[in-house]
Amino acid sequence: MKKTISMKKIISCSCIFLIALLITGCSGSTQTSGVTTNYKIGNGDLNVKLIDNAPPSEIFPGAEFKIIAELSNQLAYDAKNLDVVITGLEPGYFQVYPLEQKIALIQGKSITNPAGDKEMLEFSGNAGSLVKSAQYYTNKYLLQTNYDSTMEFQDTVCINTDLYGVNDAGCKVQDKLSYPGQGAVLAVSKMEQVVISGSSAGMQFRIYLTNRGQGKLKLVTLDKSELGGEALDCQFQGEVDKPLEYDFKDKQTALLLCDAAISEQISYQTILALDFSYHYELNKEYQLKIVNPNAALVS
Amino acid sequence: MGIVQALKGSGAGQVADVATKVTGIQLVGKQLAGAAKSISWVMVVVGVIEFILKNVFGYGQLITVLSIILFIMAGFALAARLGKDKLAIFIPMTLFVIWYFLYGATFDPAFLAVYLSIGFGIMALFGVISKGESVISSFAGFIPCLVLLVDVGYLALLVDKVGIPVTNFMIGLLKYMPWWAFFGVMTLPTEEGGRGNALIQLTRIAGIVYIVFVLIAPVFPNVGREELNALPGFAEAQQAQIDLQEQLSTCENEQRNYRLSCIGQSFGKIFDFSTSSSGETFSVDNCVAEKMKECEIDYQCLTQQGLQVNNDNKAKPAYQECKAGFTAKGGQNVIGIKDETIKEAMTAVFSDRKSLSGQYRSGDFLHPIDFTVVNPRNDEFNVLFSCEFTSTTDSKLKVPGTIIASGAQGNLLTVKDKSVKSTVACKPQLNLAKGKYKVDYQAELQGIQSFARLQRAFIVPQASEQEREELIKRIMQLHFPGQKYLSQAPAGLFEVQWSFGQEDAPIVESGDILPLAIVLRNTGQGKIETVNWYRVNMDGFSTDPADCLAGGNIAVPKDTTVAKVDLNFCYITGLPIDLSTLSQDYAYREYTAEANLNYLIKATDNVEVLEINPGATPVEISSEGGGAI
């Protein structure tokens, strides 16, 4: 009898687990392919944080303090033209110098530099006075980091303009492909292939770009687009004047359309390669707090 | 029984029976250990802690984590209570968790049709496996889900969203019901299950008594009230008024209820099909801020005009007019909030001496009263005392009094310290005849000061409207949550309240012409006599008229208790150079406005002259306003 109950439990547990797995796993299949290096896969980001106790969580009136920002490049690409700015401090309470610092380059992760480079930035500060009988003053501020970086995408795709498959039994065009990211905040998340058959046969690649980072993607530029070493005719959807540039503004996704004229009648596999450069803005909120030493003693 | 014995043992210090003490402690420990084996009992304890934390600190991450832990514990507690087919309880709980956390509690009908089908399918499968025995357990698993919903504010949602009437019973449930502890009490093991543990039995009894109290207490409207058999003394009345005013003026006591209601509303968004696709995000903080602002306006427009806060008075034209003034742009109806960084309030009060009967056997006496000042900023100012006797039978019969105050020079007390207490005695300048008299004391606080801080952010024209809106949104979230765009003044006898720019839009764009208004609110029990001076510390700003940032010697009507004094209204026409050309996205600044004034506090006490001192010449009080022989 005991054995039967424990078997029942095991079966029940397994059922719940499997069904939960089934339900939670239904969010869409992800197909990984076309990754050229270990680092250029998944999501990468430029990690910005303040180191512990710089600044201290509570500062006494008139005291000096340091704000030390650590920038760790966890992208698979270099971050360039970094500009770190502290915004939103009330100068009557907090005098911080400098409020802006620049770094030319922080190297990203690579085979020779698997951890990515780190840089420290130091800002010196002086706390002002509290208003009479105030126990504390808090001031939230932004640590804004702007930088430029790049992203490379490569995948082997099947070129086959024969919709009916009568000419050969070669590769099959996969009309929808998903990608886990290319090691950057800008990611090609999925791609659709549309076959245009007939006299002017060709293929259209619909490439979906996504912001996978914590900040805001600004201007994205398509620097290179090749199919089997030959240039593709690409355009960001809706961009007429500058078809190879797209300003994400507050959007999270963008669509790039690339057309290729295909003269071959037989199917074959070839490399689709796209290189992007982009500008990125990362805002992190922090807080400085002046406390009344007498109040601190009481507490 | 065991606990009683244990306590007897541990409490018998007089007999110093060490062995008994040890036994007692061991027994208590044994009871605790026994009770702790019951997950329901642990749930009661954790549920009470969660309830206290929630009421003290409000909803936060800690409460969310505790709620989830309690939710899981509830599953085990229920399983222990039901005793069989325990696993089936977790089916609806698991489904609920997946639906709520992974699928964002979506009410998409298509999704729900599939999801519920799968859910009921699993439950049916279990029912078949257990030959129908797990059905009750399966449905019982929905109970912890319901408790979780109620605990996070679902009841408040019903009140707020569905508009069901808020009965006393419901207020009792909303405010005082610790739902998880209640669940724990209901699932505590029975005598057999608890193996007769006294602590579990005590918890059960205490829990049931508390729950019964929560349920039936609202039925008796006078529970907790004192009978009012006689008029209270003036000090008591003063204190009551202060308490009431504090309660109403800050609106902070209501903040928890507002938050509860707003959390309910946020929950309601899940059920609101009409807005679910609009993409608007509901902010609990903004919702609380809106309600707080409404409350502040009610306070300003009702209580400071001497009206009670109720819906009848809100229908009055005076209220409507006042409220319209608050919403009008650039008007002088500025409001402010309490400065939460300053905990101590400035107070000045007379308090009578209850030990004194107020009966004298001579017409020549000293009648004392206490005067206390709390001066948290160590400001220096003088207090000028005066007093007068008035016959209760004829109010025109008055005799001036002479003040003898401890720590004072004559009738002038200089205040410098943080806390000053003085005994102020009033001596009639002429011997009083037999009879009853009213003694009126006055303390004029000369040159008391206060201030208010106000923050603003300055931006320059942006490249596009979208960038501008984005920047403003970011600044509002960072620097102006809740009502932080209003001026913040320390609590005290009066408050400086001021604004510049649009009151509810603290972002200043260069080129704007900004209205500036500054008022004083009388938040004490006395009267603003004279405004000696005021100034707004905004160096570098141009104004129209040019001298609007400072002024003084402003007369206040003599015969009325003025709730608000308008100091100035003008326009800022130019910004300092560092704010009109910014080196960063925006600049965040704080400014202060200060005021110095004379403030009059009055108090009244009663005395009775029983008989005339045989040695003294009695006074016949003249009706000409002064005393005469």
PDB file of all heavy atoms in Angstrom, chain B residues 585-608:
ATOM      1  N   ASP B 585      22.305  67.772 -19.591  1.00  0.00           N
ATOM      2  CA  ASP B 585      20.932  67.617 -20.080  1.00  0.00           C
ATOM      3  C   ASP B 585      19.970  68.521 -19.327  1.00  0.00           C
ATOM      4  O   ASP B 585      19.018  69.052 -19.876  1.00  0.00           O
ATOM      5  CB  ASP B 585      20.465  66.166 -19.902  1.00  0.00           C
ATOM      6  CG  ASP B 585      21.069  65.257 -20.946  1.00  0.00           C
ATOM      7  OD1 ASP B 585      21.754  65.792 -21.832  1.00  0.00           O
ATOM      8  OD2 ASP B 585      20.866  64.039 -20.876  1.00  0.00           O
ATOM      9  N   TYR B 586      20.210  68.624 -18.026  1.00  0.00           N
ATOM     10  CA  TYR B 586      19.344  69.457 -17.203  1.00  0.00           C
ATOM     11  C   TYR B 586      20.090  69.837 -15.935  1.00  0.00           C
ATOM     12  O   TYR B 586      21.155  69.285 -15.632  1.00  0.00           O
ATOM     13  CB  TYR B 586      18.047  68.712 -16.853  1.00  0.00           C
ATOM     14  CG  TYR B 586      18.214  67.572 -15.889  1.00  0.00           C
ATOM     15  CD1 TYR B 586      17.955  67.734 -14.529  1.00  0.00           C
ATOM     16  CD2 TYR B 586      18.646  66.319 -16.308  1.00  0.00           C
ATOM     17  CE1 TYR B 586      18.113  66.692 -13.632  1.00  0.00           C
ATOM     18  CE2 TYR B 586      18.792  65.280 -15.426  1.00  0.00           C
ATOM     19  CZ  TYR B 586      18.529  65.461 -14.083  1.00  0.00           C
ATOM     20  OH  TYR B 586      18.690  64.431 -13.200  1.00  0.00           O
ATOM     21  N   ALA B 587      19.545  70.801 -15.205  1.00  0.00           N
ATOM     22  CA  ALA B 587      20.137  71.192 -13.920  1.00  0.00           C
ATOM     23  C   ALA B 587      19.061  71.076 -12.856  1.00  0.00           C
ATOM     24  O   ALA B 587      17.905  71.449 -13.086  1.00  0.00           O
ATOM     25  CB  ALA B 587      20.656  72.621 -13.995  1.00  0.00           C
ATOM     26  N   TYR B 588      19.451  70.558 -11.711  1.00  0.00           N
ATOM     27  CA  TYR B 588      18.509  70.367 -10.607  1.00  0.00           C
ATOM     28  C   TYR B 588      18.914  71.318  -9.480  1.00  0.00           C
ATOM     29  O   TYR B 588      20.076  71.337  -9.075  1.00  0.00           O
ATOM     30  CB  TYR B 588      18.584  68.905 -10.167  1.00  0.00           C
ATOM     31  CG  TYR B 588      17.754  68.561  -8.963  1.00  0.00           C
ATOM     32  CD1 TYR B 588      16.367  68.575  -9.028  1.00  0.00           C
ATOM     33  CD2 TYR B 588      18.349  68.187  -7.752  1.00  0.00           C
ATOM     34  CE1 TYR B 588      15.604  68.240  -7.925  1.00  0.00           C
ATOM     35  CE2 TYR B 588      17.596  67.843  -6.656  1.00  0.00           C
ATOM     36  CZ  TYR B 588      16.227  67.871  -6.745  1.00  0.00           C
ATOM     37  OH  TYR B 588      15.475  67.535  -5.645  1.00  0.00           O
ATOM     38  N   ARG B 589      17.981  72.115  -9.023  1.00  0.00           N
ATOM     39  CA  ARG B 589      18.303  73.128  -8.016  1.00  0.00           C
ATOM     40  C   ARG B 589      17.253  73.158  -6.905  1.00  0.00           C
ATOM     41  O   ARG B 589      16.086  72.830  -7.139  1.00  0.00           O
ATOM     42  CB  ARG B 589      18.354  74.519  -8.652  1.00  0.00           C
ATOM     43  CG  ARG B 589      19.457  74.701  -9.689  1.00  0.00           C
ATOM     44  CD  ARG B 589      20.834  74.799  -9.038  1.00  0.00           C
ATOM     45  NE  ARG B 589      21.858  75.118 -10.001  1.00  0.00           N
ATOM     46  CZ  ARG B 589      22.529  74.214 -10.730  1.00  0.00           C
ATOM     47  NH1 ARG B 589      22.264  72.922 -10.577  1.00  0.00           N
ATOM     48  NH2 ARG B 589      23.454  74.589 -11.580  1.00  0.00           N
ATOM     49  N   GLU B 590      17.715  73.615  -5.748  1.00  0.00           N
ATOM     50  CA  GLU B 590      16.788  73.802  -4.624  1.00  0.00           C
ATOM     51  C   GLU B 590      16.877  75.255  -4.154  1.00  0.00           C
ATOM     52  O   GLU B 590      17.970  75.824  -4.076  1.00  0.00           O
ATOM     53  CB  GLU B 590      17.176  72.869  -3.472  1.00  0.00           C
ATOM     54  CG  GLU B 590      16.297  73.046  -2.249  1.00  0.00           C
ATOM     55  CD  GLU B 590      16.614  72.036  -1.147  1.00  0.00           C
ATOM     56  OE1 GLU B 590      16.418  70.839  -1.375  1.00  0.00           O
ATOM     57  OE2 GLU B 590      17.068  72.466  -0.073  1.00  0.00           O
ATOM     58  N   TYR B 591      15.735  75.824  -3.863  1.00  0.00           N
ATOM     59  CA  TYR B 591      15.672  77.211  -3.373  1.00  0.00           C
ATOM     60  C   TYR B 591      14.869  77.233  -2.084  1.00  0.00           C
ATOM     61  O   TYR B 591      14.048  76.339  -1.820  1.00  0.00           O
ATOM     62  CB  TYR B 591      15.016  78.108  -4.423  1.00  0.00           C
ATOM     63  CG  TYR B 591      15.744  78.083  -5.745  1.00  0.00           C
ATOM     64  CD1 TYR B 591      15.318  77.250  -6.770  1.00  0.00           C
ATOM     65  CD2 TYR B 591      16.891  78.843  -5.949  1.00  0.00           C
ATOM     66  CE1 TYR B 591      15.999  77.187  -7.968  1.00  0.00           C
ATOM     67  CE2 TYR B 591      17.582  78.784  -7.143  1.00  0.00           C
ATOM     68  CZ  TYR B 591      17.131  77.951  -8.151  1.00  0.00           C
ATOM     69  OH  TYR B 591      17.824  77.882  -9.326  1.00  0.00           O
ATOM     70  N   THR B 592      15.119  78.262  -1.292  1.00  0.00           N
ATOM     71  CA  THR B 592      14.352  78.388  -0.048  1.00  0.00           C
ATOM     72  C   THR B 592      13.671  79.742   0.016  1.00  0.00           C
ATOM     73  O   THR B 592      14.155  80.729  -0.555  1.00  0.00           O
ATOM     74  CB  THR B 592      15.248  78.248   1.198  1.00  0.00           C
ATOM     75  OG1 THR B 592      16.311  79.192   1.097  1.00  0.00           O
ATOM     76  CG2 THR B 592      15.806  76.860   1.352  1.00  0.00           C
ATOM     77  N   ALA B 593      12.541  79.753   0.704  1.00  0.00           N
ATOM     78  CA  ALA B 593      11.860  81.010   1.027  1.00  0.00           C
ATOM     79  C   ALA B 593      11.726  81.051   2.545  1.00  0.00           C
ATOM     80  O   ALA B 593      11.452  80.025   3.171  1.00  0.00           O
ATOM     81  CB  ALA B 593      10.489  81.057   0.371  1.00  0.00           C
ATOM     82  N   GLU B 594      11.964  82.217   3.134  1.00  0.00           N
ATOM     83  CA  GLU B 594      11.929  82.341   4.585  1.00  0.00           C
ATOM     84  C   GLU B 594      10.948  83.429   4.978  1.00  0.00           C
ATOM     85  O   GLU B 594      10.709  84.360   4.200  1.00  0.00           O
ATOM     86  CB  GLU B 594      13.309  82.744   5.125  1.00  0.00           C
ATOM     87  CG  GLU B 594      14.434  81.814   4.755  1.00  0.00           C
ATOM     88  CD  GLU B 594      15.780  82.431   5.103  1.00  0.00           C
ATOM     89  OE1 GLU B 594      16.164  82.355   6.272  1.00  0.00           O
ATOM     90  OE2 GLU B 594      16.409  83.014   4.191  1.00  0.00           O
ATOM     91  N   ALA B 595      10.453  83.334   6.180  1.00  0.00           N
ATOM     92  CA  ALA B 595       9.585  84.407   6.695  1.00  0.00           C
ATOM     93  C   ALA B 595       9.793  84.547   8.196  1.00  0.00           C
ATOM     94  O   ALA B 595      10.131  83.585   8.892  1.00  0.00           O
ATOM     95  CB  ALA B 595       8.127  84.107   6.387  1.00  0.00           C
ATOM     96  N   ASN B 596       9.602  85.767   8.659  1.00  0.00           N
ATOM     97  CA  ASN B 596       9.760  86.092  10.078  1.00  0.00           C
ATOM     98  C   ASN B 596       8.515  86.857  10.498  1.00  0.00           C
ATOM     99  O   ASN B 596       8.124  87.816   9.829  1.00  0.00           O
ATOM    100  CB  ASN B 596      11.026  86.948  10.250  1.00  0.00           C
ATOM    101  CG  ASN B 596      11.257  87.360  11.683  1.00  0.00           C
ATOM    102  OD1 ASN B 596      10.427  88.037  12.290  1.00  0.00           O
ATOM    103  ND2 ASN B 596      12.404  86.981  12.218  1.00  0.00           N
ATOM    104  N   LEU B 597       7.893  86.429  11.586  1.00  0.00           N
ATOM    105  CA  LEU B 597       6.641  87.086  11.966  1.00  0.00           C
ATOM    106  C   LEU B 597       6.414  87.072  13.469  1.00  0.00           C
ATOM    107  O   LEU B 597       7.146  86.427  14.227  1.00  0.00           O
ATOM    108  CB  LEU B 597       5.465  86.431  11.233  1.00  0.00           C
ATOM    109  CG  LEU B 597       5.316  84.918  11.285  1.00  0.00           C
ATOM    110  CD1 LEU B 597       4.709  84.464  12.596  1.00  0.00           C
ATOM    111  CD2 LEU B 597       4.427  84.460  10.128  1.00  0.00           C
ATOM    112  N   ASN B 598       5.396  87.816  13.885  1.00  0.00           N
ATOM    113  CA  ASN B 598       4.961  87.792  15.279  1.00  0.00           C
ATOM    114  C   ASN B 598       3.694  86.965  15.360  1.00  0.00           C
ATOM    115  O   ASN B 598       2.810  87.083  14.499  1.00  0.00           O
ATOM    116  CB  ASN B 598       4.656  89.208  15.783  1.00  0.00           C
ATOM    117  CG  ASN B 598       5.908  90.058  15.842  1.00  0.00           C
ATOM    118  OD1 ASN B 598       7.020  89.561  15.637  1.00  0.00           O
ATOM    119  ND2 ASN B 598       5.739  91.336  16.126  1.00  0.00           N
ATOM    120  N   TYR B 599       3.628  86.146  16.381  1.00  0.00           N
ATOM    121  CA  TYR B 599       2.541  85.168  16.464  1.00  0.00           C
ATOM    122  C   TYR B 599       1.925  85.226  17.864  1.00  0.00           C
ATOM    123  O   TYR B 599       2.654  85.233  18.867  1.00  0.00           O
ATOM    124  CB  TYR B 599       3.122  83.781  16.203  1.00  0.00           C
ATOM    125  CG  TYR B 599       2.112  82.715  15.904  1.00  0.00           C
ATOM    126  CD1 TYR B 599       1.631  82.540  14.610  1.00  0.00           C
ATOM    127  CD2 TYR B 599       1.630  81.882  16.914  1.00  0.00           C
ATOM    128  CE1 TYR B 599       0.704  81.549  14.330  1.00  0.00           C
ATOM    129  CE2 TYR B 599       0.702  80.899  16.638  1.00  0.00           C
ATOM    130  CZ  TYR B 599       0.242  80.735  15.347  1.00  0.00           C
ATOM    131  OH  TYR B 599      -0.680  79.756  15.063  1.00  0.00           O
ATOM    132  N   LEU B 600       0.634  85.273  17.923  1.00  0.00           N
ATOM    133  CA  LEU B 600      -0.056  85.451  19.206  1.00  0.00           C
ATOM    134  C   LEU B 600      -0.769  84.168  19.621  1.00  0.00           C
ATOM    135  O   LEU B 600      -1.542  83.596  18.859  1.00  0.00           O
ATOM    136  CB  LEU B 600      -1.082  86.583  19.079  1.00  0.00           C
ATOM    137  CG  LEU B 600      -1.711  87.055  20.377  1.00  0.00           C
ATOM    138  CD1 LEU B 600      -0.689  87.744  21.280  1.00  0.00           C
ATOM    139  CD2 LEU B 600      -2.874  87.999  20.095  1.00  0.00           C
ATOM    140  N   ILE B 601      -0.465  83.744  20.843  1.00  0.00           N
ATOM    141  CA  ILE B 601      -1.127  82.550  21.381  1.00  0.00           C
ATOM    142  C   ILE B 601      -1.926  82.959  22.609  1.00  0.00           C
ATOM    143  O   ILE B 601      -1.445  83.734  23.451  1.00  0.00           O
ATOM    144  CB  ILE B 601      -0.084  81.478  21.758  1.00  0.00           C
ATOM    145  CG1 ILE B 601       0.601  80.976  20.489  1.00  0.00           C
ATOM    146  CG2 ILE B 601      -0.723  80.328  22.507  1.00  0.00           C
ATOM    147  CD1 ILE B 601       1.797  80.145  20.780  1.00  0.00           C
ATOM    148  N   LYS B 602      -3.133  82.461  22.716  1.00  0.00           N
ATOM    149  CA  LYS B 602      -3.992  82.830  23.842  1.00  0.00           C
ATOM    150  C   LYS B 602      -4.402  81.585  24.606  1.00  0.00           C
ATOM    151  O   LYS B 602      -4.463  80.494  24.048  1.00  0.00           O
ATOM    152  CB  LYS B 602      -5.256  83.532  23.335  1.00  0.00           C
ATOM    153  CG  LYS B 602      -5.003  84.884  22.717  1.00  0.00           C
ATOM    154  CD  LYS B 602      -6.309  85.499  22.264  1.00  0.00           C
ATOM    155  CE  LYS B 602      -6.078  86.872  21.639  1.00  0.00           C
ATOM    156  NZ  LYS B 602      -7.322  87.478  21.155  1.00  0.00           N
ATOM    157  N   ALA B 603      -4.695  81.811  25.884  1.00  0.00           N
ATOM    158  CA  ALA B 603      -5.252  80.727  26.688  1.00  0.00           C
ATOM    159  C   ALA B 603      -6.168  81.338  27.742  1.00  0.00           C
ATOM    160  O   ALA B 603      -5.994  82.503  28.132  1.00  0.00           O
ATOM    161  CB  ALA B 603      -4.137  79.941  27.355  1.00  0.00           C
ATOM    162  N   THR B 604      -7.100  80.568  28.192  1.00  0.00           N
ATOM    163  CA  THR B 604      -8.051  81.069  29.181  1.00  0.00           C
ATOM    164  C   THR B 604      -8.175  80.060  30.311  1.00  0.00           C
ATOM    165  O   THR B 604      -8.174  78.857  30.076  1.00  0.00           O
ATOM    166  CB  THR B 604      -9.438  81.275  28.529  1.00  0.00           C
ATOM    167  OG1 THR B 604      -9.281  82.170  27.434  1.00  0.00           O
ATOM    168  CG2 THR B 604     -10.435  81.842  29.510  1.00  0.00           C
ATOM    169  N   ASP B 605      -8.244  80.562  31.529  1.00  0.00           N
ATOM    170  CA  ASP B 605      -8.487  79.699  32.676  1.00  0.00           C
ATOM    171  C   ASP B 605      -9.541  80.381  33.543  1.00  0.00           C
ATOM    172  O   ASP B 605      -9.863  81.562  33.339  1.00  0.00           O
ATOM    173  CB  ASP B 605      -7.177  79.465  33.440  1.00  0.00           C
ATOM    174  CG  ASP B 605      -7.225  78.164  34.212  1.00  0.00           C
ATOM    175  OD1 ASP B 605      -8.271  77.494  34.177  1.00  0.00           O
ATOM    176  OD2 ASP B 605      -6.211  77.824  34.848  1.00  0.00           O
ATOM    177  N   ASN B 606     -10.058  79.674  34.520  1.00  0.00           N
ATOM    178  CA  ASN B 606     -11.098  80.225  35.387  1.00  0.00           C
ATOM    179  C   ASN B 606     -10.606  80.275  36.828  1.00  0.00           C
ATOM    180  O   ASN B 606      -9.930  79.348  37.290  1.00  0.00           O
ATOM    181  CB  ASN B 606     -12.362  79.366  35.311  1.00  0.00           C
ATOM    182  CG  ASN B 606     -12.962  79.428  33.917  1.00  0.00           C
ATOM    183  OD1 ASN B 606     -13.223  80.502  33.392  1.00  0.00           O
ATOM    184  ND2 ASN B 606     -13.137  78.269  33.295  1.00  0.00           N
ATOM    185  N   VAL B 607     -10.939  81.334  37.497  1.00  0.00           N
ATOM    186  CA  VAL B 607     -10.627  81.451  38.929  1.00  0.00           C
ATOM    187  C   VAL B 607     -11.887  81.926  39.654  1.00  0.00           C
ATOM    188  O   VAL B 607     -12.818  82.475  39.051  1.00  0.00           O
ATOM    189  CB  VAL B 607      -9.464  82.443  39.196  1.00  0.00           C
ATOM    190  CG1 VAL B 607      -8.161  81.936  38.646  1.00  0.00           C
ATOM    191  CG2 VAL B 607      -9.783  83.820  38.665  1.00  0.00           C
ATOM    192  N   GLU B 608     -11.841  81.706  40.960  1.00  0.00           N
ATOM    193  CA  GLU B 608     -12.967  82.177  41.774  1.00  0.00           C
ATOM    194  C   GLU B 608     -12.422  82.772  43.067  1.00  0.00           C
ATOM    195  O   GLU B 608     -11.579  82.144  43.743  1.00  0.00           O
ATOM    196  CB  GLU B 608     -13.912  81.014  42.078  1.00  0.00           C
ATOM    197  CG  GLU B 608     -15.133  81.463  42.851  1.00  0.00           C
ATOM    198  CD  GLU B 608     -16.111  80.329  43.089  1.00  0.00           C
ATOM    199  OE1 GLU B 608     -15.790  79.171  42.752  1.00  0.00           O
ATOM    200  OE2 GLU B 608     -17.205  80.612  43.625  1.00  0.00           O
TER     201      GLU B 608
END
